[in-house]
Amino acid sequence: MDVEYIKDQLTFHRDFPKKGIVFLDIFPLLRDPITFETLITHFVHHVTSYTITKSPTRKIDVIVGLDARGFLLGPIIALRLGAAFVPVRKQGKLPGPCVGASYEKEYGVDIFEMQENAIQPGQSVIVIDDLIATGGSARAAGELVAKQGGKTLEYLFIIELMFFRAGTKLDAPAYSIVQSDD
Ligand SMILES: O=P(O)(O)OC[C@H]1O[C@H](OP(=O)(O)OP(=O)(O)O)[C@H](O)[C@@H]1O
Ligand SMILES: Nc1ncnc2[nH]cnc12
C-alpha cells in the first residue's frame, strides 16, 4: 500500500540534465508531508525489522548519506534510529583530512569524499541515497566506509533504476522501496 502511494508521486523528466537521460525526480514526495512521513517510516520499519538483525550489536551505528539527495533522508532516519549521520560529499566540499574514491555515473565521473575518522573500525553502517542508477555512487560510498573499517550492512534507496539490475556489484545487499520498470 505505502509502496504504491510513494510510486505514484515519483515523476520522470525526459532529456534532463542532458539529451537521452530520463531523470527521476523525488522532490514531489517531499512536498507532501504524509508521503514524506510514509517514506521515512517505511525505511525505519525496514531497518528495525530486517537490517538490524544482521548487526552483531543489534544496532546501527552510522547512517551514511550521499551528496546531495541522500542528505534529505539520512539525517531523519539516523535520528529515529539513534545513530550518527555521516555525509559523503563530492570532492572539495569537506574540511580537514578526507578519504576519497572515484566513480562513474550515468552522466559523468566524480570523486566522493568522507572525513577521516567519521566512522570507527567495526561500526555497523547503512548507506542511503534517493536512487541507484548505475550503482557507481553507492559503490564508491561503500569503498569509503570500508576504508575506515566500517561494515556496510545494507544500501537503501527509494527507487532502483533499471541499470542497477544490469549487474553492478556492491559489498552488501541493496534494498529499494520501488523497482522502476521503464
Ligand atoms: O547509481 P549512480 O549512477 O551512481 O547514480 C545515482 C546518483 O546520481 C544522483 O546524484 P547526482 O550525482 O546526480 O548528484 P546530485 O544529488 O547532487 O544531483 C542520485 O541522487 C544518486 O546519488
Ligand atoms: N536517471 C536519473 N534520474 C535522477 N537522478 C539520477 N542520477 C543518475 N541517474 C539519474
Side-chain angles (χ1 to χ4, degrees):
M1 178 67 175
D2 60 345
V3 175
E4 286 308 309
Y5 192 68
I6 289 164
K7 190 174 180 179
D8 283 352
Q9 290 171 72
L10 290 166
T11 52
F12 291 88
H13 298 265
R14 290 201 180 277
D15 298 326
F16 182 87
K18 56 187 188 193
K19 204 163 172 47
I21 302 287
V22 180
F23 188 89
L24 188 132
D25 185 16
I26 57 123
F27 285 117
L29 302 179
L30 278 55
R31 255 179 241 145
D32 172 20
I34 295 174
T35 312
F36 199 2
E37 180 62 52
T38 304
L39 183 67
I40 298 297
T41 303
H42 185 111
F43 278 130
V44 171
H45 180 258
H46 173 80
V47 171
T48 51
S49 65
Y50 170 72
T51 323
I52 280 179
T53 59
K54 292 190 288 174
S55 160
T57 56
R58 295 270 185 266
K59 186 180 180 309
I60 301 300
D61 301 304
V62 181
I63 301 289
V64 165
L66 308 198
D67 193 348
R69 288 170 256 160
F71 296 172
L72 303 168
L73 308 169
I76 301 170
I77 294 167
L79 271 178
R80 297 230 179 144
L81 293 171
F85 175 75
V86 169
V88 161
R89 295 215 66 185
K90 286 165 189 157
Q91 190 176 38
K93 297 285 186 183
L94 289 169
C98 291
V99 287
S102 69
Y103 64 101
E104 206 169 317
K105 316 181 302 174
E106 195 183 358
Y107 41 74
V109 177
D110 244 315
I111 295 178
F112 263 163
E113 289 183 337
M114 182 188 282
Q115 285 171 311
E116 248 177 49
N117 306 321
I119 294 174
Q120 302 309 309
Q123 284 193 312
S124 294
V125 177
I126 287 177
V127 174
I128 185 152
D129 203 356
D130 62 331
L131 62 89
I132 182 160
T134 64
S137 311
R139 192 166 42 198
E143 231 178 279
L144 297 177
V145 172
K147 275 187 184 173
Q148 310 247 33
K151 165 92 184 118
T152 302
L153 297 182
E154 206 173 21
Y155 294 82
L156 301 182
F157 307 97
I158 300 172
I159 180 163
E160 176 181 311
L161 301 183
M162 61 175 179
F163 317 94
F164 181 60
R165 288 202 290 273
T168 308
K169 290 266 183 295
L170 297 174
D171 59 355
Y175 172 81
S176 309
I177 298 176
V178 175
Q179 317 291 314
S180 107
D181 38 32
D182 61 321

